[in-house]
Structures are given as structure tokens and as C-alpha cells.
Amino acid sequence: MMQGTTLDSDRSIFVPQHIALIGNSVPRRCGIATFTTHCRDAMKGAFPDLVIDHYAMDDGLGDIRYPESIIPIPQYEAAAYSVAAQQIKESGAEAIWLQHEFGIFGGPAGDMILRLLERTTLPLVSTFHTILEQPDADERRVTEALIARSDRIMVMAERGREILRSSYGVPDSKIAVIPHGVPDRPHVASATMQPRFGWDGRRVILTFGLLAPDKGIDTMIRAMPMVAAQHPDALYVVLGATHPNIVREQGGETLREDLIALATSLGVEDNVRFIDGYVEQEALLDRLQAADIYVTPYINPAQVTSGTLSYAIGMGKPVISTPYVQAMEILADDVGMLVPFRDEEALADALCTLLSDADLAEGYATRAYAYGRKMIWSELAHNVGRLLTSACRMQPTRLVPRRSYDILKPDAAGVLRMSDGTGLFQHGILSVPDRNHGYCIDDNARALILMTQMTDMEPQLRDQWTTTYASFLQHAWNPDRGRFRNFMAFDRRWLEEVGSEDSCGRTIWALGVAARDAPLEKHRHWARLMFDRTAGSLLDAGSPRAQAFLILGAAAMLDAVPGHRVAEQIVADFGRNLLHLLDEARRPDWAWFEAVLAYDNARLPQALLLAGKQLCDMKMIAQGLATLQWIVTRQQAPEGHFRAIGTESFGRPHRHPLPFDQQPLEAQATIDAAATAHAISRDARWLDVADNAYRWYLGQNDLSLPLATPADGGCYDGLTPMGVNENQGAESLLALQLASCAMNRLFQRTVMVSKGTQAEEEPLSA
């Protein structure tokens, strides 16, 4: 037996052991909910050992209470789709079966479902309930994306296959036609069931389903005067509640009231009966078996499937229908009768023909029942089982490509390419600077740090760019407000008087590192003066990350100038505050400083470690190591590689992180924090943590795609579900180069330790 599969003993079909089923679910009242629920039950009946996680879209209307077995996805919340994707990945599911209909997912043409599907690599079988030959732009975009993502596509009519092939270029090998499922009941005479409903003595014509304008009920009512003239005992029963969307749009039962008024105006109110309500399946089937003729007078030629038509055929009913897609296929070969759209005379003529000829009607009933045996739910389940197996076999085992993981030599070319005489541009369009977004102090502060770490850079070039980035920081200081500005337009206009606390904290960090590490004394002297001038005004910073950045800068300043008063106060005050935040936010399952995860996470434990070292506080060091280990475990994929906390995870209290979009900044922060932990504890496991995070840049990540472009010193902006973000902004370029500097420094340190070399105590990190 294949590993990870379940054997159907009757049919010898191997299927996955665990699937995620996405659609709607009862008690929501719509066709997709009913269909999806029946699909789940049919699969469990055919494959008893199969685990099915049922994810149901929830539009938030009607106060629906789903059973515990249902996992709801809020229809209009984009983040919920990402959460569901992560749940599916962590559940152990081996494949996804999607029920697709445009109206049940959020976003333009329901494109939010793509957010979920893009975030998993599991084999996907998609059932297309609607296939448009002439879609609008959004509908085509969504359909083509679904086609590209699906390993197999299920349609319920041959016409669906033709549209996919001709309008979307889908190969036949990717498409399977599996008819809509129907219950398996014995064929009984309608007269035996009619007394249950007070229909005895009547010739019952039935239409059932949610009431909507496209059902053509008005055409059928207009046919009833002609039918009643020949068959006064004829009774047209319209069974079903009005579609909830129609009730909301019309503010009530206007559609039903208009149809009742139409029957009255035509004098057939005694020949037309409305049963308003949602009828459970068994009661519905009883009424269907009590009908003499079933009618679907729908007006939409493009309708590919109709569950009501399928049920009528499965119960062996003579059927009269308009020629929409599924009706033309099922009722071919004399299985039923077709009449033109919106033609009450043709409809009346067909009804009178069947009502007048019992043998003819019985022939249609017999052929319909025989056809329906191919459509029973157990047949659908076995066919879908084969489809899921085929989809799983299509996807080869994912292998991580063999790559060289040598540490890259730091190369400032990409950063300098993004710089001009003013400073470093924020963003790039691919590898070209985007002047529309100007500059920010965050990036120029990091660029200043990079200049202090580039040991092999040509001295004159480093002098030039160190001065440029330092000048940007100097100009950003606003003495009237006691804060640094952050954003500057391309024309050198400051766009704000005060930048964020985090940007101010990062600037102080850069000043501290420059004061310690800048190769030229003139830059070290300048940095000390700027630190003295500005750092004291930030002692009231409240942001945890701003406090962490300030500690990093102050610790560097204390390395350069032991006993520096303001630096000592920053380290002591904010170090204690980080401990306080940790105590306040800690839970048994949450050993972190905040209830949420955000960006640059590893900087918090790194700052606590440096504060503990400066203060000789063992509690701070212990908690720094513990919280770093905690965040490291949440940045590791099940396969063991580094997985940066995705931006979709930000702001979700006490929730497991989501994987996308992953930013280069997170890997760099983890490397620096691990280097600090190793320098303090001398525990070799932190070397592995740093190495794992660095490999993320080189391709050992969720998509096995490198973000570094070593030929030009570049780095892509992030890892998305669809691949790398090919833009190269300043933050990403700097993250890779600073990470390379840190890894080379860490490698040199470990070599010296392994050789027993006693070197001067070096900085724990930049």
C-alpha cells in the first residue's frame, strides 16, 4: 500500500488519508453549502478512514452556528484566508478539494480564495460550479489563477470541459467530468406518496430550490392557464425559500409576492402553490418522489449545473427543462424533454403531452432513473477519490536544490546603486531606485552602520559614503522637537517634523555603532557628539522596539566610551522595562514581550542580552537567551529551515505566526541576536541558529528560491507565496550585506576560538 493513502476495499482505490475540503456548509442555506456537505458525507461513506477537515465560508449573516466539526472562514476578512492556509498546512492534510463559485468568496470576483491557495503547496482539486465563456477582467483573472494552481479540475457537465478547453486553454488531461451527486432511493409511484402532503387527486408539477429571478418561475406560471384548461387537476408546486441575497437586496419577499400576484391575475391561484421554507433533504426527497413531473424553467443558458435537476433525475422523474448546459447533456437521448427559454406555450404543450400520455411519462421516468444510477453520491465519491489520487501523484517530491552555502563576501554595490548625494533611496523598482518615495532615516542609519562594518571597502569610497549617510542623519535632527525626522521627498523636503520612535531609536543605534566602529576618527568623533546631543531626548521612548534599538546604540557607545552617563541610563532603564514587559505579557504558551509579533523581533532579546552584559545582570541574560530561543522556534519550518515571521502575522494576539510575506530584515536580526547570544554564552547552538537564518538568503527557505543576487550585491525584497518579490529596496539590500558582515565576523571569531587564539574582546554585533 502507498504511504499516506487509504484503500477503498470495494474499489481498490488509494486516496490520501487526510484532505481539506473548502466550500460552504449547512446549516447555511445555499446550493454550495448543501453540495459540499453531501460531498463530505459521501467521501466518509466511501472511505471511512479518511480524515476530512471541512472549511466553510461564513458571510457573517443569519447568525449561523456551525457544528464543531466545521472550521469557518470569515468570507470578507483577507487575513482569515491566510490563517486558514496555515491551519491546513499544520493539520497534516495531504490534498485540498475546493468547491469554487464566484459568489462565496470575498474580494473582486472572489479573489480572496487565491490568498489561501497561494499559501499552500498541497495538491489541489478544484470543482468549478460556474465557468464563464465571457468573463469580465476580474473573473478571468481569478479563473486563470485557479486553473494554474489546480492539479485537477472537476466539472459536472461536458460543456464545462469544452469551455475550459476552448476559452482558457486547459488540456483535457487536467479535466474530469463527474456528474452532480444524488441520493440513492428506490423508484416509487408518485401516487403512493401524494397523500402525505394533501396532493392526492392532483397531477403534481414540481420545481424546488431557492427562489430567484433567474429560475424562470414566472414563465411556468404563465403556462399554467393553458395546462389547467386541459388538466384542471394540475397543481404547480414551487418549493423553497427565497434566496437570502434576494431578500436582503429587495428588503423582503417582493419576488414571491409578485409571483403569487401573477398567479392570481391569471386565474390559476388554485393551480399554483408556494411552499415557503427551507426543507431538509429527506423531506425534500419525499416531496420529489410525490411529484408527477419535474420542471426547471431556468433562463440562464450558461448554467452548467443544477442540483435540483440532478435530484429529479435520480428520483426517476419525467423532466421538462429549458436548454441550459447541464439540461442539454442529461436530457439527451430521450431522458427528458427540452423547451425554449421563456416560452410558456412550448412549456404548456410539453406538460400537456406528458399529462395526457401515461406510457410516455413512464418511459421518461424509467430512463431518468436508470441514468441517475450513475450519479449517486457513492459514485461521485469514488470518482473524486481517483481524482485526488491523480492530483497527489502529479506533484513530485519537493527537493531542496543543492547549493553552495559559503558566506558571501560583503558587497556594497547594491546599496551604492540606490544612493545619491543626498542619501539612500527607500525603494526600488526591480534594481532601479524609485525616486517617487524619496529617502528615510531608517535606511540611512542602517547604511551608516554598514559603512562601519565593511572592512574590505576601498577607504576613499567608504569615507565618501560614510559622510553622505552621516550628513543625512545630522540634517534629520529637529532640535525644536527633540526628535529626528524620518521621511524626505526626492526634492529634499522633509515630509514630517517628527519621525516614529522606532526610526529615532534606530538612528541612535547607528550613532553608537559609528562612535565605536567607524574606521576614521573624524567619523567616530562626529558620532559621539551627535549621540551626546540627541540621545538624552529619547529617554521617554515608549515603543518596545525603539527601546531595544536605543539599548543597542547605548551598549555600543559604552564599548567606545565606558561610563557614558546617558548610555548607562538608557541601558538600565530600558533593560528593566523590557523585563517588565516580558513579565506582564508572559503566558504559559507565550514567552514574549508583547501579545503580538511584529517586525525585527529578534532585536528585543538581543537588546536584553546586551543590557544584561553591561549591567552584569544574570536575570536579564537568562531571559534574553530564553526569549531568543522562543522566537527562534517560531521562525523554523517543520522541515528545519528558517522561516521569517511573515508580515501577515503582525498584530495577531497570541497566535501562531503565518509564513508570508517573509522579509530579509528578520533573518538579519536573528543572525545578529544569535551572534550576541553566542558571544555571551559560548553555546555552539547559536552558531547553528545564525547559519540557518543566513541560508534563508541563499535559497534554503520555504520556496527554495535565493533572495541574494551575489553578482551585483543585490537582495530581493521578500518571499511571497508566489515567489520572490523582485524589487530591491534599501532595507533588503542592507539586511543581506549586514548579515554577510555579521556572518564573516562570527566565522572569524569561531576560527580563533577553535585555534585557542586570544584576541581582543570584539563587539558582540553591529
Side-chain angles (χ1 to χ4, degrees), residues 317-384:
K317 295 292 107 179
V319 173
I320 300 172
S321 177
T322 49
Y324 55 90
V325 171
Q326 187 188 27
M328 287 193 292
E329 292 187 14
I330 289 182
L331 303 184
D333 299 325
D334 218 22
V335 173
M337 301 178 69
L338 295 172
V339 297
F341 293 103
R342 293 188 178 279
D343 190 335
E344 57 260 33
E345 292 183 4
L347 190 52
D349 185 59
L351 284 164
C352 289
T353 298
L354 285 181
L355 291 170
S356 301
D357 191 335
D359 291 339
L360 180 64
E362 182 59 29
Y364 279 116
T366 300
R367 290 188 293 274
Y369 190 75
Y371 189 98
R373 297 315 90 204
K374 300 183 293 185
M375 302 167 61
I376 59 176
W377 283 113
S378 59
E379 289 292 325
L380 178 143
H382 291 113
N383 289 327
V384 170

Side-chain angles (χ1 to χ4, degrees), residues 244-325:
N245 290 345
I246 303 301
V247 174
R248 284 194 294 270
E249 291 168 6
Q250 297 183 349
E253 290 285 353
T254 303
L255 174 61
R256 183 181 301 274
E257 292 164 359
D258 289 346
L259 292 172
I260 293 172
L262 175 62
T264 301
S265 69
L266 294 172
V268 291
E269 62 270 24
D270 292 334
N271 299 94
V272 178
R273 185 175 302 172
F274 286 85
I275 301 176
D276 180 9
Y278 185 84
V279 181
E280 297 297 335
Q281 176 171 291
E282 294 306 309
L284 170 63
L285 295 176
D286 289 342
R287 288 171 172 80
L288 186 52
Q289 286 185 308
D292 295 290
I293 299 172
Y294 190 77
V295 179
T296 55
Y298 300 164
I299 64 175
N300 180 12
Q303 181 155 339
V304 175
T305 60
S306 167
T308 68
L309 173 62
S310 299
Y311 275 32
I313 293 295
M315 295 301 102
K317 295 292 107 179
V319 173
I320 300 172
S321 177
T322 49
Y324 55 90
V325 171

Side-chain angles (χ1 to χ4, degrees), residues 447-455 462 466 510 513-515 517-519 766:
L448 177 60
I449 292 176
L450 178 64
M451 292 300 101
T452 70
Q453 309 301 305
M454 296 287 294
T455 56
R462 180 166 54 191
T466 300
V513 172
D517 295 343

